[in-house]
Amino acid sequence: MTLWFVLSLMTAAAVFAVLQPLARRAPLRSGSDVAVYRDQLQEIDRDRTAGLIGEREAEAARIEVSRRLIGAADAEAPAASVDRTGRRRVAALIALVLLPLGAAGTYLMSGSPHLPAQPLSARLDRPPADAPGERSIADLVGRVEAHLEANPEDGRGWEVLAPVYMRLNRYEDAVKARRNILRLLGEDAVRHSDLGEALTGVANGIVTADAKAAFERALRHDPNEFKARYFLGLAAEQDGRPNEAANVWRELLAGAPPDAPWTGFIRESLLRVDPSTPMPAGPTADDVAAASQLSPEQRTEFVRGMVERLAERLQREGSDVDGWLRLLRAYMVLGDRDKARAAAGDARRALASEPDKLRQIDELVKGLGLEG
Amino acid sequence: MIPEIGHYALVLALGLAMIQAVVPLWGARLRDDTLMGTAGPTAFAQLAFAAIAFAALTACYVYSDFSVANVFENSHSAKPLIYKITGVWGNHEGSMLLWVLILALFGALVAYFGDNLPATLKANVLAVQSWIAAAFYIFILGTSNPFLRLAEAPFEGRDLNPILQDIGLAIHPPMLYLGYVGFSISFSFAIAALIEGRIDAAWARWVRPWTLAAWMCLTAGISMGSYWAYYELGWGGWWFWDPVENASLMPWIAGTALLHSAVVMEKRNALKIWTILLAILAFSLSLIGTFLVRSGVLTSVHTFATDPTRGVFILAILTFFIGGGLALYAWRAPVLKQGGLFAPLSREGALVLNNLFLTTACATVFIGTLYPLALEALTGDKISVGAPFFNLTFGPLMVPLLLAVPFGPLLAWKRGDLLGVAQRLTAAWMCGLITVAVTFAITRGGPILAPFAIGLAVYVMVGALTDIFERAGLLRVPFPTAIRRAGGLPRSAWGTAFAHFGLGATLLGIVCESNWNTERIVTLKPNETVSLRSYELTFDGMTTRQGPNYRELTAKFTVRSGGTVVDVMEPSKRNFASRGTSTTEAALLTRGFSQIYLSLGDPAADGALAIRLYHKPLVLLIWLGTVLMVFGGALSLSDRRLRVGAPKPAKKSALQPAE
Amino acid sequence: MTRKQRRLVLIGTGLGVLALAAALVLTALRDSVVFFNSPSDIVEKNVQPGARIRLGGLVKPGTLQKDADLAVRFEVTDGKSAIMVAYRGILPDLFREGQGVVTEGALDTAGVFKADAVLAKHDETYMPKEVADALKKQGHWKDGQETGRDASAVKKP
C-alpha cells in the first residue's frame, strides 16, 4: 500500500511540475540581443578605462558593436499576443491525463510492484531468531578463503569450499577449488565429474570441451559414475545428437536403483529428447512445469512437498548419503535451520557405520554453519 | 520498495522529458510565453526524478539488494562501501543511468542560468535536450533496465574483481561522461539555432563556457585514465591507441576545435556556421565514443545475435541524432546569416587553421579506429591498426598546428601582421633552436627527429608565455609595474597562456618518455645490483605479507645514485588465491619530473626474481601538462567579463604591441 | 582582399591539409596495419615468415616452458591447429594456460612464432574479442559464456 501511495505522490509532483507554469500569467523573463550588445559596449568602455585596449581599438570595436546593436533592435519583433487558453488546456490535458496513464502503463509493463526490497540486512533478519543464516555462510566462506590464502595446499579446505561455491553460483571459484582438490587429494571419478559440473556451470549450463574431458576422465576411473554419464548425455544433446543422449540416459535409468532420487530428473531430460518416454509417479516434467508457473509462495510449498517426500524416503533407507546432503541443503534454502539440524542428526545416526559418508555430512554441516 | 520507486521515477522522468520535448517547441513556434514557460519547471522535475532513480539504484547497491538483477550481477555483499557505490556505474545499465542523470543535470542548469537567453532560444534548447534525454530513457527502460527484479534474492552477488576496484578507475568514467554529455549542451544550442534559423548574440556567449566546462572534464577524465593505465597495468605504457581510448580522444579533439571557433564567434561574430557544425560533430563523436565502439555494435555480428534489440536501438539513436543533426544542418545552415569578415592573416585566420588541423587529425583517428571494423564487416579480415598508424598520421598533422599555436594569441583580430608577430616570438624560436642544438649535442647518435620535437615543445612553452610577458611589459617597464600589469590582465589571457604552456609541457613529456625511455628486464638474486642510467638498484630481498583478501609478495630495492642511498622501492605482486588472480603493484620513484618505474614478474624456483625496470625521463610532464590545461580552462571560465574582440583600426599600427 | 579571394585562400588551405592527411593515411594503412590470425588461419593461408601479424587463441595447457633468461615458449591453439610461440620477457599477470591470449610478432623460417608482445586482457573473464571470434569459428566457444560482463567495466587493454 505504502508503495502505491508513494508512487501516486510522485505522479502528482510530476503533473504539478507541468501544470504550475501553465497557470502563470506573467510574461517570461527573456534576454535579448540588444541587452547583450549594450553589455558589450559597456565592457569596451571598462576595458578602455582600465587601459587594456587602446583608444583607436576601442573606437573601432564601439562602431562595430553599435552597428550590430542597431540591427538587433530593428529585428526585434513585438511578441504576438493572442488568446491562448485553448493551447493551455491542451497542454494541461496532456499533463493531467497522458502523463499518469502513460507512466502507469509503462511501469506496469516491466515493474514488479508486488516484490518487496530485499536488502542484505533484511534477508539476514528474516529468521530473526537465529540471524547467522546467510551471513554465516559469507563469513564462513571468507574464513575458509583466508585460511586457504595462508595454506593453499590444504586439500580438505578446498573440499569444504567447493560445494559452497557451487551453491553460491560462484562457478569459476568452484572450478579453481575443484582443480585444487584433484591436484592435492588425488584423482577419483567423483572429483573429476564434480570438476566437470563446475565447468558446465561456468558456461551457463553448456557442457564445454573442457567439461566433457573431465567427465570422460571420471568414467575412466569408474565407468558407472552417475553424474559423468548424465552430463555426457547432456553434451550429446547439446551437440545435436539427441538419440545418443536418449540412449545414455535410458541406460542410466535401467541401471538405477528403483528409488534413486535422480530418476525423475533423468526422465525429465529424456522426455526432452524422446517424448515417448513413459513417466512414472514422482516429480515429473509436468510437476516441474507446473512449479514454474506458480507464484513464489506456491513454489515454496511445492518445493517443501518434494523435500518432505525426500525426507520420508531417507527415513526408510538411510544409506543414501547424496540424498541426505541434498536434504540438508534444501532445508537451508527454505530457511529451516532447525529441521536441517535435526536432519543432520538423523543422517549421522543412519550413517554411523560408514565413516566416509559421515565425513561428507560433517563437512556440509560445517560448510552450512549448522554447528554450535 | 526502493527499487520500485527508482523504476517508477525513471518512467516519470521519461514522461516529463516527452512533454518537455514537445510543449516548449510548440510554444516557441507560436511565441507563446506560457507554453515556453513549461520548459524550466519540467527540466527541474526531470532532474529530480532522474536523481531519485539514481539514488534508488545506489541504495540497492549499498544495501546489497540482490533481488535487483543488476545489483546481483555486479556487486557483492563483502565489497567495501566505496566500491559498492562506484560499482553503480561499473556496468552497462548503471552507466546509462548516470549518463541520463548528467544529461538531466545539464538541462536543469540551462533552465536555471538561462534567464538572460532569448525566451524562444531557451525553450528550443531545452526541448532538444529533452529529445536526447527521452531517447535514452526509452533505451534504458526498453533494453537496459537496471531495476528488473529477481523473485528470490540470490545468496550472494556475482562480481568481485579485485583489479577493477581502484579509485582511479572509479572516478574516471564520471569525468568522461561529464565531458561527453557536456557537449550535448552545445549540440542542443546548435540544433535550436538551426530550428530558429538565426543565431543570437547570446548564443555564442552561452556556448563557449559550456563547451569549455565539458572540455575540462573530458581532459581531466582522459588524463586520469591514462595515468591509471600507467601505474596499474605494470608495463609503464600510458596510451595505447586502442579503440576505447580513441573514442574519448575524438570528442576531445573536436571539442578543442569547437572551443577555439566559439571564441571567434563570441568575440567577433564570425565563423557561425562552422561553429554549429563543430558543435554537432563534437556531440556526435561523443555518442559514437560511448555507444558504438564500446557496445560492440560494429565490432561483431555476434553482439547483435546475443542482444539484437540493444544494438539496433543504439544504431537507431545514433542515426537519428547524428543523421538528423547533419541533415538539419544541410537544410537550414544556408539560411543563417554569414558572420563578419576577416583577413586570412588574423587571429580568426589562425583559429581557422587550428580548426582545420584539429578536425583533419580527428578524421585520421576516426579512420584508424573504424577502418578495422568496416574492413571486418566487409571482407571478414581482422586487422589491428596500432600506434604506428597513428604516429604516422596524427603526428605529422600536429606539427604545423603546434608551430602555429604561439602565433594565435599574438595576432590581432580581423587583420594581423605575421612578420611582426614572428619578431615578437624571437625569444620563443631562439629558445627552441638552442634546445634543438643542445639536445643534439647531448644525445649524439640518438633519434634524429626527437631533438626537433623537444625544440618544438620548448618553442610552444616559451611562446605561450610571450603574450603575457609582452602585455605586462616585462623588461620594458619597471618590474613592479610589470607585475601589476600582469595581474590586471584578463583572466582569459592567463587561461590561454596556461593551456598552451600545458600543451607544450605534455608534448615535452611525451617526446622524452617515448624516445629516451630506458627499459631493462632482468632476473636478480638477492643482493645483486642492477644499474639504470645513473642509478643503482640493489635487490635486498622479498617478504610476504597477508592482506585482507590477498597475499602480497613485496620485494625491497635500495636505490643509490653515485654511492649515496636515494630511496627504497617496494614493488609487490598481490595474489588473490581463492580467485586465482594476481595484480602487479608497480613502485614509482619520482625524481624531479622523471620517474623510475619498477614492477615484478614471477619469482623463479632458485630465488631469482624477474623485474621490469624503466627510467622514464620527464614522464610526469605528460599529466602535469594536462593539469595545466584544465587549470587554464578554469581560469578562462572564471573570467566573468563579457568578451569582445577589439579589432585594430585599418591603419598600420600593428607593430605596436597591443596593451 | 575581396571576400571571394579570402574564401579561395580558405578552401585552398583546407584542401591542402586534407590532401596531406589523405596521403598520410593511405601510406600508413599500407605499411602499419597488422592482420589478426588464428593458428588455423596461419596453417591455411600459408602466412609467410617475416610478415608481421597478430596471433590469438588459447594457451594450450601443458605447453608453457620457461627457460633461462626469461625466455618462454608456449603453444597457442584454436582447437584445430597449434603454433609454437617464443617470447622473451615478463608475461602479463593474466597470462595462464588454457586462457585466451593475443601475441604480436612474426613467424620464423622454422614455423615458430617469434612474439615481441604478449597481451592478456585485465579482466579474468574477458576474452579478447578476436580470440573469441576465432574460437567460435572452431566451435569451442558458446555464446552463453559471454553473458553479463559489460565492456564498460573493463575499459583498458
Side-chain angles (χ1 to χ4, degrees):
Chain A
M1 254 356 257
T2 339
L3 177 69
W4 292 115
F5 177 69
V6 174
L7 296 193
S8 353
L9 218 63
M10 285 162 68
T11 318
V15 171
F16 176 76
V18 185
L19 288 188
Q20 181 260 337
L22 285 176
R24 263 175 32 149
R25 303 266 150 191
L28 271 186
R29 282 184 57 192
S30 166
S32 72
D33 282 3
V34 177
V36 176
Y37 292 133
R38 290 232 169 84
D39 285 353
Q40 284 191 343
L41 283 177
Q42 280 169 13
E43 183 65 30
I44 293 169
D45 288 340
R46 225 175 308 142
D47 276 1
R48 177 70 202 108
T49 329
L52 287 175
I53 48 174
E55 180 55 46
R56 276 193 291 185
E57 289 137 1
E59 193 48 44
R62 244 182 249 129
I63 292 168
E64 207 175 306
V65 174
S66 305
R67 208 181 301 134
R68 287 184 216 155
L69 176 64
I70 293 163
D74 286 347
E76 222 150 86
S81 78
V82 278
D83 176 43
R84 32 190 191 211
T85 38
R87 290 182 213 144
R88 274 188 206 183
R89 284 208 189 112
V90 174
L93 207 67
I94 292 176
L96 264 177
V97 180
L98 287 186
L99 182 61
L101 279 184
T106 315
Y107 170 70
L108 288 178
M109 274 197 304
S110 51
S112 323
H114 56 279
L115 284 183
Q118 301 174 34
L120 187 65
S121 53
R123 276 181 284 136
L124 291 182
D125 291 345
R126 214 183 298 150
D130 55 6
E134 295 155 24
R135 179 86 243 170
S136 72
I137 289 207
D139 277 357
L140 257 165
V141 170
R143 227 176 300 150
V144 178
E145 278 175 348
H147 164 78
L148 287 171
E149 296 281 359
N151 312 288
E153 303 298 294
D154 176 7
R156 273 184 41 92
W158 291 111
E159 221 169 15
V160 172
L161 209 47
V164 186
Y165 278 147
M166 290 297 284
R167 177 72 194 79
L168 296 176
N169 293 340
R170 287 169 63 177
Y171 297 117
E172 279 156 29
D173 296 322
V175 168
K176 269 162 220 151
R178 291 196 153 150
R179 285 225 163 95
N180 285 331
I181 295 172
L182 278 168
R183 180 168 56 86
L184 298 165
L185 300 181
E187 306 186 18
D188 71 17
V190 176
R191 285 174 187 150
H192 274 300
S193 61
D194 280 349
L195 172 63
E197 187 184 10
L199 285 166
T200 308
V202 170
N204 287 339
I206 307 285
V207 184
T208 56
D210 272 358
K212 215 165 147 185
F215 292 128
E216 275 157 4
R217 280 196 300 275
L219 288 188
R220 275 205 290 280
H221 285 273
D222 173 5
N224 290 320
E225 172 29 46
F226 149 73
K227 203 191 269 174
R229 287 173 68 193
Y230 164 72
F231 273 104
L232 285 174
L234 187 63
E237 185 198 350
Q238 287 168 354
D239 287 350
R241 299 192 304 273
N243 292 335
E244 195 182 321
N247 285 339
V248 171
W249 288 334
R250 253 185 236 114
E251 268 173 40
L252 260 181
L253 276 181
D259 264 355
W262 34 264
T263 47
F265 186 53
I266 303 282
R267 284 217 174 77
E268 193 190 308
S269 308
L270 194 49
L271 200 64
R272 247 189 349 248
V273 287
D274 179 10
S276 65
T277 314
M279 294 302 292
T284 62
D286 287 345
D287 286 353
V288 175
S292 63
Q293 286 167 5
L294 301 173
S295 74
E297 292 83 352
Q298 287 169 315
R299 198 176 310 151
T300 313
E301 268 322 296
F302 178 82
V303 174
R304 239 176 245 285
M306 303 238 322
V307 172
E308 295 314 327
R309 261 177 275 160
L310 176 61
E312 270 168 39
R313 191 174 60 72
L314 286 171
Q315 294 296 344
R316 279 182 273 118
E317 35 182 325
S319 66
D320 174 11
V321 65
D322 285 330
W324 283 113
L325 294 174
R326 205 168 44 250
L327 184 65
L328 289 183
R329 290 199 191 100
Y331 278 137
M332 288 307 289
V333 173
L334 293 168
D336 281 345
R337 297 180 60 81
D338 293 337
K339 279 196 184 163
R341 220 173 263 141
D346 289 347
R348 283 201 181 110
R349 275 190 292 283
L351 297 170
S353 56
E354 293 168 275
D356 247 5
K357 294 182 175 177
L358 202 53
R359 188 175 51 81
Q360 275 177 279
I361 298 287
D362 285 346
E363 268 166 16
L364 182 69
V365 165
K366 232 186 276 168
L368 295 172
L370 274 172
E371 270 172 333
Chain B
M1 192 166 81
I2 291 179
E4 296 308 310
I5 289 180
H7 192 164
Y8 188 64
L10 197 59
V11 175
L12 278 180
L14 167 64
L16 286 167
M18 284 166 121
I19 291 179
Q20 191 192 328
V22 175
V23 176
L25 202 65
W26 185 31
R29 197 140 188 91
L30 300 169
R31 295 189 152 268
D32 182 328
D33 275 5
T34 313
L35 292 186
M36 288 195 280
T38 55
T42 44
F44 295 134
Q46 193 193 319
L47 170 65
F49 286 116
I52 290 175
F54 191 78
L57 188 63
T58 311
C60 292
Y61 269 85
V62 170
Y63 298 132
S64 297
D65 187 342
F66 296 133
S67 70
V68 179
N70 182 255
V71 181
F72 159 66
E73 273 162 18
N74 299 294
S75 192
H76 190 285
S77 64
K79 250 198 314 199
L81 181 65
I82 173 83
Y83 297 125
K84 280 183 185 169
I85 295 173
T86 60
V88 175
W89 58 78
N91 59 85
H92 172 76
E93 287 84 359
S95 69
M96 283 293 93
L97 196 58
L98 177 67
W99 170 277
V100 288
L101 175 67
I102 296 177
L103 198 64
L105 173 72
F106 276 110
L109 286 175
V110 172
Y112 184 76
F113 291 110
D115 271 351
N116 56 355
L117 282 174
T120 50
L121 179 62
K122 182 179 166 188
N124 280 332
V125 167
L126 286 175
V128 175
Q129 190 79 8
S130 246
W131 295 349
I132 306 172
F136 282 105
Y137 290 127
I138 294 175
F139 174 65
I140 293 178
L141 286 167
T143 69
S144 322
N145 195 332
F147 292 109
L148 294 183
R149 305 288 298 277
L150 300 169
E152 284 291 319
F155 262 10
E156 192 46 278
R158 272 160 82 170
D159 194 24
L160 180 72
N161 190 336
I163 305 167
L164 293 181
Q165 290 177 33
D166 179 274
I167 199 69
L169 200 61
I171 309 174
H172 138 95
M175 288 304 270
L176 280 184
Y177 278 15
L178 278 170
Y180 288 152
V181 181
F183 288 135
S184 73
I185 298 282
S186 325
F187 177 82
S188 298
F189 267 87
I191 298 294
L194 289 173
I195 291 173
E196 288 196 31
R198 67 196 205 95
I199 301 178
D200 305 280
W203 195 96
R205 215 174 139 187
W206 265 77
V207 167
R208 197 194 60 93
W210 286 101
T211 310
L212 188 54
W215 176 88
M216 282 160 55
C217 295
L218 198 53
T219 311
I222 294 175
S223 167
M224 225 184 278
S226 152
Y227 193 68
W228 175 82
Y230 171 71
Y231 76 73
E232 186 68 30
L233 295 188
W235 55 279
W238 47 270
W239 191 262
F240 305 91
W241 291 110
D242 93 341
V244 176
E245 285 170 325
N246 292 349
S248 63
L249 183 66
M250 287 188 287
W252 186 84
I253 301 173
T256 313
L258 174 61
L259 201 63
H260 287 88
S261 80
V263 172
V264 180
M265 182 145 166
E266 182 184 23
K267 292 196 162 191
R268 297 285 310 142
N269 222 12
L271 288 188
K272 288 180 181 175
I273 298 177
W274 171 244
T275 307
I276 294 224
L277 180 62
L278 272 183
I280 295 175
L281 286 181
F283 184 59
S284 301
L285 287 170
S286 299
L287 282 180
I288 291 176
T290 18
F291 304 109
L292 203 58
V293 177
R294 210 168 287 175
S295 70
V297 170
L298 266 192
T299 50
S300 156
V301 209
H302 298 283
T303 321
F304 270 107
T306 47
D307 191 351
T309 36
R310 197 178 277 179
V312 170
F313 211 119
I314 287 179
L315 269 191
I317 291 183
L318 290 180
T319 319
F320 179 75
F321 285 104
I322 301 178
L326 291 176
L328 190 67
Y329 176 80
W331 176 43
R332 297 286 283 179
V335 180
L336 298 173
K337 256 198 295 189
Q338 286 284 351
L341 278 177
F342 57 85
L345 285 179
S346 61
R347 179 102 56 107
E348 291 97 324
L351 289 169
V352 169
L353 198 72
N354 151 308
N355 273 228
L356 199 59
F357 278 104
L358 281 178
T359 41
T360 316
C362 186
T364 60
V365 178
F366 188 81
I367 291 170
T369 310
L370 293 192
Y371 177 70
L373 310 183
L375 190 73
E376 191 189 333
L378 292 176
T379 68
D381 279 342
K382 288 190 184 60
I383 60 166
S384 77
V385 171
F389 172 88
F390 296 101
N391 292 344
L392 261 176
T393 55
F394 191 76
L397 283 172
M398 283 297 108
V399 173
L401 178 63
L402 289 165
L403 280 174
V405 162
F407 279 86
L410 289 173
L411 277 168
W413 290 107
K414 209 163 177 183
R415 62 181 72 76
D417 173 14
L418 197 61
L419 221 63
V421 174
Q423 264 173 5
R424 286 156 66 198
L425 280 174
T426 314
W429 55 259
M430 288 294 282
C431 285
L433 287 179
I434 292 170
T435 314
V436 174
V438 170
T439 323
F440 256 122
I442 296 175
T443 64
R444 252 164 316 186
I448 298 291
L449 285 175
F452 287 102
I454 300 273
L456 183 62
V458 169
Y459 159 78
V460 170
M461 287 159 78
V462 178
L465 298 177
T466 305
D467 184 37
I468 296 287
F469 283 168
E470 285 251 334
R471 289 170 77 170
L474 201 73
L475 305 180
R476 274 188 289 113
V477 297
F479 190 66
T481 324
I483 292 296
R484 196 172 40 76
R485 277 209 214 170
L489 285 176
R491 265 180 280 179
S492 58
W494 279 102
T496 308
F498 269 108
H500 286 178
F501 188 84
L503 179 67
T506 298
L507 177 67
L508 190 60
I510 292 175
V511 175
C512 286
E513 197 277 335
S514 38
N515 284 295
W516 291 292
N517 162 26
T518 320
E519 175 180 0
R520 293 204 62 180
I521 298 179
V522 288
T523 39
L524 281 186
K525 292 203 174 110
N527 298 322
E528 283 184 340
T529 297
V530 59
S531 66
L532 178 79
R533 292 271 160 146
S534 58
Y535 300 98
E536 272 153 14
L537 285 88
T538 311
F539 177 31
D540 297 333
M542 284 184 281
T543 44
T544 51
R545 199 171 66 80
Q546 188 64 40
N549 55 342
Y550 55 83
R551 209 174 150 80
E552 192 173 44
L553 179 73
T554 308
K556 195 175 155 200
F557 290 82
T558 307
V559 186
R560 290 187 181 79
S561 174
T564 48
V565 174
V566 176
D567 209 338
V568 171
M569 293 177 82
E570 294 186 324
S572 64
K573 211 166 173 81
R574 289 184 184 161
N575 212 339
F576 297 77
S578 58
R579 295 187 58 86
T581 54
S582 52
T583 59
T584 305
E585 307 292 315
L588 298 171
L589 175 65
T590 306
R591 303 280 289 163
F593 293 123
S594 308
Q595 282 188 328
I596 297 176
Y597 186 110
L598 176 52
S599 71
L600 299 184
D602 294 315
D606 59 350
L609 184 66
I611 60 165
R612 208 186 275 250
L613 189 61
Y614 300 93
H615 179 260
K616 299 199 165 270
L618 300 189
V619 69
L620 277 183
L621 285 181
I622 298 176
W623 300 289
L624 286 178
T626 63
V627 171
L628 285 177
M629 287 187 224
V630 173
F631 179 69
L635 269 184
S636 182
L637 196 62
S638 74
D639 189 348
R640 297 304 308 154
R641 303 174 329 127
L642 275 172
R643 298 156 56 88
V644 192
K648 292 230 163 95
K651 279 171 212 141
K652 270 279 179 194
S653 65
L655 281 174
Q656 293 169 7
E659 284 183 37
Chain C
M1 269 193 273
T2 63
R3 189 164 202 134
K4 200 169 169 190
Q5 280 171 317
R6 283 175 183 161
R7 191 168 293 163
L8 277 178
V9 170
L10 193 66
I11 291 173
T13 329
L15 287 180
V17 175
L18 276 183
L20 171 70
L24 286 173
V25 166
L26 289 178
T27 0
L29 278 184
R30 209 180 48 219
D31 296 344
S32 61
V33 157
V34 181
F35 279 83
F36 177 90
N37 291 279
S38 67
S40 307
D41 289 339
I42 290 188
V43 174
E44 283 160 18
K45 289 187 199 160
N46 195 16
V47 172
Q48 290 305 306
R52 199 171 169 74
I53 54 168
R54 280 189 174 198
L55 165 69
L58 297 178
V59 181
K60 195 169 179 182
T63 61
L64 176 66
Q65 51 183 69
K66 297 189 176 185
D67 302 334
D69 212 15
L70 294 172
V72 287
R73 276 167 175 264
F74 54 89
E75 281 181 37
V76 169
T77 176
D78 56 0
K80 200 167 147 204
S81 316
I83 300 279
M84 174 70 83
V85 176
Y87 176 68
R88 222 185 78 84
I90 297 177
L91 293 168
D93 284 342
L94 291 173
F95 182 91
R96 211 158 295 138
E97 294 193 346
Q99 299 280 331
V101 70
V102 175
T103 60
E104 189 169 326
L107 283 175
D108 68 5
T109 42
V112 174
F113 190 78
K114 297 269 186 207
D116 49 28
V118 173
L119 318 167
K121 303 278 175 166
H122 71 266
D123 179 355
E124 56 173 295
T125 57
Y126 179 62
M127 177 72 66
K129 198 190 81 59
E130 297 91 344
V131 175
D133 283 351
L135 291 176
K136 267 179 199 155
K137 230 164 56 191
Q138 298 298 338
H140 282 267
W141 177 268
K142 302 289 199 296
D143 274 334
Q145 277 174 301
E146 274 186 317
T147 52
R149 199 73 45 175
D150 179 60
S152 70
V154 189
K155 276 185 19 42
K156 299 275 173 179

